């Protein structure tokens, strides 16, 4: 999900979050439904990260969980399969919504995180995974997430956090907060941190999980490597990977509640 309005950011967001979602759904149709979850979760959380969020957010049968900026629906589908929760996915990219419906049959709404199409206090739980790093309006997005949560609700965040001043070569649509900026935005939005967890400290995904995601990526590459949008999306992933590997970025999980 991206709230950036610049032309470069818009083009990169479309390639990464919209077009690639449709190609991923095509690959899953060709390779088998067992490839859907690993492929659609790539970039939005490993099984260990999603389990941590589900446990902290008290997901279970009957829990309605909003996935704000849920992409192709992998995290929402994982929550439904592993906890029995009922997900509702709100995602600004229409192609990603179509992919989520196609792969998982999820209820999806095309909409942005800055104006969620839900009434206040509508959901017991909300996830916002990888979204804050795509907008400069960190506090505004968090405030809107706070609005749709019940007063006793839980929210789970996966955030790319800027660890150094050097983000040379970062994708145009990447706007990660620093740890201090994130804390200020949360406080301003009326959300209190209950728990934090670094993704790097969690167990790696099972080998078969990564292998299935890799097969989907290979299928997409074989069929679309000559498309400029594939090159843009792949280049963005590689740039973020380098920034993570060099310690300029970290991936943090947060469990937050309304104050």
């Amino acid at each position: 999900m991206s709230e950036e309005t610049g032309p470069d950011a818009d083009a990169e967001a479309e390639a990464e979050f919209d077009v690639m979602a449709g190609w991923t759904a095509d690959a899953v149709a060709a390779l088998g439904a067992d490839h859907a979850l690993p492929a659609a979760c790539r970039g939005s959380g490993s099984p260990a990260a999603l389990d941590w969020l589900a446990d902290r957010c008290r997901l279970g049968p009957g829990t309605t969980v909003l996935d704000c900026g849920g992409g192709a629906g992998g995290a929402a589908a994982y929550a439904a399969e592993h906890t029995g929760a009922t997900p509702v996915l709100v995602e600004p990219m229409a192609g990603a919504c179509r992919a989520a419906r196609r792969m998982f049959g999820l209820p999806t709404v095309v909409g942005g995180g800055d104006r969620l199409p839900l009434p206040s206090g509508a959901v017991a739980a909300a996830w916002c995974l990888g979204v804050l790093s795509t907008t400069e309006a960190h506090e505004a997005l968090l405030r809107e997430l706070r609005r749709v949560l019940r007063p006793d609700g839980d929210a789970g965040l996966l955030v790319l956090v800027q660890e150094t001043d050097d983000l040379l070569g970062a994708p145009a649509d990447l706007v990660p907060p620093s740890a201090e900026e994130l804390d200020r935005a949360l406080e301003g939005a009326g959300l209190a941190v209950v728990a934090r967890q670094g993704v790097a400290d969690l167990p790696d995904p099972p080998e078969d999980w990564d292998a299935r995601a890799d097969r989907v990526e290979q299928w997409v590459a074989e069929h679309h490597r000559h498309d400029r949008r594939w090159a843009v999306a792949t280049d963005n992933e590689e740039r973020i990977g380098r920034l993570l590997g060099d310690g300029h970025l970290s991936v943090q999980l947060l469990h937050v509640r309304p104050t």
Side-chain angles (χ1 to χ4, degrees), residues 45-142:
S46 65
L50 297 176
D51 288 340
W52 189 92
L53 291 166
D55 180 64
R56 289 287 179 174
C57 291
R58 301 178 288 176
L59 300 191
T63 306
T64 299
V65 56
L66 163 69
D67 193 346
C68 173
Y78 186 96
E81 180 175 315
H82 289 263
T83 72
T86 301
V88 175
L89 189 148
V90 176
E91 162 60 44
M93 297 294 185
C97 286
R98 288 192 294 270
R101 291 194 297 269
R102 182 178 170 192
M103 287 190 286
F104 306 111
L106 289 173
T108 62
V109 179
V110 178
D114 58 340
R115 189 174 296 178
L116 291 167
L118 294 170
S120 299
V123 295
W127 281 5
C128 187
L129 311 183
V131 179
L132 280 178
S133 61
T134 67
T135 175
E136 294 179 341
H138 302 132
E139 184 177 325
L141 190 150
L142 290 168

Side-chain angles (χ1 to χ4, degrees), residues 162-218:
Q162 183 172 343
E163 298 291 350
T164 74
D165 293 332
D166 182 11
L167 290 186
L168 184 65
D173 66 338
L174 186 71
V175 195
S178 66
E180 294 78 11
E181 289 168 340
L182 177 58
D183 286 343
R184 285 197 299 270
L186 287 164
E187 182 179 2
L191 293 167
V193 177
V194 180
R196 300 176 191 257
Q197 173 66 55
V199 169
D201 297 325
L202 292 173
D204 292 332
E207 288 186 10
D208 185 54
W209 177 275
D210 277 344
R212 281 177 284 161
D214 289 343
R215 283 194 290 271
V216 169
E217 287 194 355
Q218 290 163 8

